[in-house]
């Protein structure tokens, strides 16, 4: 069978299936990672000392240990405590927690970059802490954290391929199975590479547009 | 002694042996990434339209595709098609190095662009060719500024190196998994592997900070001069 | 009369639509100290940088010792630049090198002089500008005045025939201007040919062989200090001179 025919008849349907699984991995992980990141980032800046220390150690652990090992711990390690996760659940859990740790770094940096005068002004208007955080600080911090967090989401798209290593068959996994059967590794993995390139490029395009859309004249420059 | 602890103690020499493999993979990949990445950065800053376009596409390509896909593509794909007989270790170094070169080029590019324009001008004014000026004025300064970025790249590369387990490179992760499947002590062993990575990250970052202090120019802080 | 050492003819330069230099010509004789004055944006700095092709002029010709400079040949360009020393407003010392290394690097890399020999020469040049004691310091450890003197030593080490000085004292605190002026004065009395842009009227009127008033990309008027400052032909020159005297003190 010639390459094109093979790709069209056999590879593409399987790869499409895998692609959809990849999307199902990426989207929830990105969202929950971001939520965790914001929560942890806020706690690391405004939390009480014990909570701060806990949040800090979470970040050190999840940024310092390779993601593959984290995935292995969730999938192969938890049964040690009689907890059994499906490959898909373990992947989403692993991605969210790891990604959240990275997001929190950007959120924390952004929060710390906001000038003291902003909080003083909010306090002087009678805002309570929660109101101040949600309506003054976060809107500014999110804009500053956006480039970093956006990058992290692009990393997540690429790292989603690691789900294959704990037997969650997504795009890379489908490709590996197909290629092992047909020995057309080069063709299959080039196609897969293109798929990822499209995803990452699309994501960076959207993020750049979002950054442009949210930008406030002169705000990004006054970073001190 | 509880079973899990025995398993860790028994496996420790084997795992530490794996860390030597990990370190050598990371060091070689960083070296390759440096050798390729620096010319890319210089090309992207000072090159003509064509060179700049080539570098941009190169960086886009190597940053846009997952490591695992590159490992499979190179090892099972290219090496088989072109009938090159190389070990997974070599493929791991080459792939990690090429990906790193794309990231390192952007670190160096940022560093070069942050230098004051007058440095290059002054070099030209005493009759240096562009090649001399870049080689003896721009690059030595840019490399110093690039060390923090480099330290970050090291910790990413270190963690990514665990993925080369997929090709069977006998690094820390691969060894931990090997022992785990035989002793059924998965959790303790992965945790130990993770701990070794944490220590390696810490050590490497520390070493690079020492290097940064060593090559620091007295009194100099960029953007204030 | 001998032929001019440097002849500059009809230099023009535009950035996009903005014409920065509109045909500037200047003849410089050996030992001259030509001082360029004029409001900021007049094109003085661009003109100086055009002279050694740090900025490529759109049109115009330059002769050094009667020989036209062909900057399209790189080798010629590099050789020519060695003969034209350049002093920048913000010094542009190489930040990663000590004072000595700053002075030495051009001799070693460009002229191919052995390191040892170049080092001795560099020491000599630093001594000449009064900085022998500071030669192992890095730029960030020197004062502005010291930095500028190192940069002069760096240029001198290349044995230039002409020096271009682009507002060498305008980034300096007032109390540091004197030490740099003293070095420039020494250079002048040793017969160095110089073109210098400055706002220091007192210094200019004392030492200039000719004052060149530039405005809006053109040379408006040239003449002796006495003529330009006291008896200028053009009203623009007179206006500028009175303004700058108010700003920078009596002559």
């Amino acid at each position: 069978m010639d390459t094109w025919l093979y790709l069209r008849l056999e590879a593409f349907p399987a790869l499409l299936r895998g692609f959809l699984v990849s999307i199902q991995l990426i989207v929830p992980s990105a969202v929950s990672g971001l939520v965790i990141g914001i929560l942890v980032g806020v706690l690391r800046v405004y939390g009480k000392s014990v909570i701060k220390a806990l949040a800090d150690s979470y970040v050190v652990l999840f940024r310092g240990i390779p993601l593959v090992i984290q995935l292995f711990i969730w999938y192969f390690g938890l049964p040690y405590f009689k907890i059994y996760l499906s490959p898909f659940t373990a992947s989403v859990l692993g991605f969210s927690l790891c990604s959240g740790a990275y997001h929190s770094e950007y959120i924390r940096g952004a929060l710390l970059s906001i000038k003291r005068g902003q909080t003083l002004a909010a306090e002087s208007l009678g805002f309570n802490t929660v109101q101040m955080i949600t309506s003054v600080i976060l809107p500014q911090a999110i804009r500053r954290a956006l480039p970093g967090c956006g990058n992290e989401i692009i990393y997540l798209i690429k790292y989603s391929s690691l789900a294959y290593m704990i037997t969650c068959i997504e795009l890379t996994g489908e490709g590996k199975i197909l290629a092992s059967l047909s020995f057309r590794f080069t063709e299959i993995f080039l196609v897969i590479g293109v798929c990822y390139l499209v995803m990452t490029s699309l994501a960076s395009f959207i993020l750049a547009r979002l950054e442009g859309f949210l930008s406030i004249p002169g705000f990004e420059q006054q970073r001190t | 002694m509880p079973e899990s602890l025995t398993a860790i103690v028994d496996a420790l020499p084997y795992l530490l042996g794996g860390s030597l493999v990990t370190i050598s993979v990371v060091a070689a990949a960083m070296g390759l990434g440096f050798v390729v990445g620096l010319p890319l950065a210089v090309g992207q800053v000072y090159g003509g339209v064509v060179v700049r376009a080539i570098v941009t596409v190169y960086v886009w390509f190597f940053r846009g595709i997952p490591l695992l896909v590159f490992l499979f593509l190179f090892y099972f794909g290219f090496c088989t098609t072109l009938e090159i007989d190389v070990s997974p270790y070599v493929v791991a170094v080459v792939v990690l190095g090429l990906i790193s070169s794309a990231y390192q080029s952007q670190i160096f590019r940022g560093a070069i662009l942050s230098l004051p324009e007058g440095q290059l001008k002054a070099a030209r004014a005493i009759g240096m060719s562009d090649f001399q000026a870049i080689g003896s004025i721009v690059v030595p300064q840019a490399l110093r500024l690039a060390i923090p970025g480099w330290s970050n790249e090291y910790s990413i590369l270190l963690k990514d190196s665990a993925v080369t387990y997929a090709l069977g490179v006998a690094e820390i992760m691969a060894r931990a998994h090997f022992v785990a499947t035989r002793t059924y002590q998965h959790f303790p062993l992965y945790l130990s592997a993770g701990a070794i990575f944490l220590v390696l990250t810490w050590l490497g970052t520390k070493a690079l900070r020492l290097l940064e202090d060593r090559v620091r120019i007295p009194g100099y802080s960029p953007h204030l001069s | 009369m001998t032929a001019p050492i440097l002849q500059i003819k009809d230099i023009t330069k535009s950035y996009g639509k903005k014409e920065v230099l509109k045909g500037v010509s200047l003849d410089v004789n050996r030992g001259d100290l030509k001082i360029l004055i004029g409001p900021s944006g007049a094109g003085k700095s661009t003109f100086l940088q055009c002279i050694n092709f740090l900025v490529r002029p759109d049109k115009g010709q330059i002769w050094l010792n009667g020989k036209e400079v062909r900057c399209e040949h790189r080798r010629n360009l590099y050789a020519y630049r060695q003969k034209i020393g350049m002093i920048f407003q913000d010094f542009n010392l190489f930040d990663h090198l000590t004072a000595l290394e700053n002075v030495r690097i051009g001799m070693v890399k460009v002229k191919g002089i052995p390191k040892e020999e170049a080092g001795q020469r560099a020491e000599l040049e630093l001594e000449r500008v009064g900085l022998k004691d500071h030669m192992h310091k890095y730029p960030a450890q020197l004062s502005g005045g010291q930095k500028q003197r190192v940069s002069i030593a760096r240029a001198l080490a290349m044995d230039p025939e002409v020096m271009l000085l682009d507002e060498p004292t305008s980034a300096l605190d007032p109390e540091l201007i004197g030490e740099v002026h003293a070095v420039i004065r020494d250079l002048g009395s040793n017969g160095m040919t110089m073109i210098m842009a400055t706002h220091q009227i007192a210094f200019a009127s004392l030492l200039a062989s000719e004052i060149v008033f530039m405005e809006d990309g053109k040379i408006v008027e040239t003449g002796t200090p006495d003529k330009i400052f006291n008896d200028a032909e053009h009203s623009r020159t007179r206006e500028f001179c009175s303004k700058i005297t108010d700003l920078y003190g009596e002559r």
Side-chain angles (χ1 to χ4, degrees), chain C residues 78-96:
Chain C
Y78 302 147
Y80 168 72
R81 278 182 180 158
Q82 293 173 46
K83 293 181 195 142
I84 307 289
M86 178 98 196
I87 302 301
F88 299 91
Q89 180 177 340
D90 43 6
F91 331 123
N92 291 341
L93 289 186
F94 302 130
D95 291 319
H96 65 308

Side-chain angles (χ1 to χ4, degrees), chain A residues 3 5 12 31 34 36 56-57 61 71 75 80-81 101 132 137 153 161-162 165 170 174 186 213 222:
Chain A
T3 306
L5 212 61
F12 284 165
V31 173
L34 204 56
I36 295 172
D56 283 344
S57 27
L61 281 177
L71 291 174
Y75 184 65
Y80 189 80
F81 303 104
M132 182 173 78
I137 295 170
I153 287 174
S161 62
L162 297 183
M165 296 182 75
E170 37 64 76
E174 290 285 4
T186 309
F213 176 72
Q222 52 167 284

Side-chain angles (χ1 to χ4, degrees), chain B residues 119 121 124 132 136 141 219, chain C residues 49 81 93 96 109 140:
Chain B
Q119 296 290 312
K121 234 175 202 177
R124 285 180 176 151
Q132 286 171 326
S136 53
Q141 292 189 30
Chain C
Q49 299 200 30
R81 278 182 180 158
L93 289 186
H96 65 308
K109 296 275 172 189

Side-chain angles (χ1 to χ4, degrees), chain B residues 87-104:
Chain B
S87 67
Y89 178 89
V90 173
V91 174
V93 167
V94 169
V95 167
L96 281 171
L98 290 179
I99 294 177
S100 183
S101 74
Y103 283 96
Q104 288 193 42

Side-chain angles (χ1 to χ4, degrees), chain A residues 6-7 9-18 164 169-185 187-189 191-192:
Chain A
Y6 164 75
L7 284 179
L9 292 181
E10 287 195 29
F12 284 165
L15 291 181
L16 181 66
R17 197 167 58 228
Y164 155 72
I169 303 305
E170 37 64 76
L171 183 55
T172 311
E174 290 285 4
K176 185 78 197 313
I177 293 169
L178 278 170
S180 308
L181 289 173
S182 66
F183 287 103
R184 293 176 192 263
F185 276 96
E187 298 91 326
I188 297 277
F189 279 103
V191 171
I192 292 176

Side-chain angles (χ1 to χ4, degrees), chain B residues 9 19 21-22 44 47 56 58 74 89 108-109 111 126 130 142 145 149 154 176 180 191 205 218 220:
Chain B
V9 172
S19 70
V21 178
T22 296
Q44 203 175 12
T56 309
Y58 178 95
F74 275 63
Y89 178 89
F108 296 135
R109 174 171 169 266
I126 56 172
D130 283 5
L145 296 185
Y154 161 76
L191 218 53
T205 320
Y220 178 67

Side-chain angles (χ1 to χ4, degrees), chain C residues 159-173:
Chain C
D159 292 314
E161 298 190 33
V162 178
M163 294 266 276
L164 310 173
L165 301 97
D166 187 3
E167 301 197 17
T169 56
S170 59
L172 298 180
D173 291 335

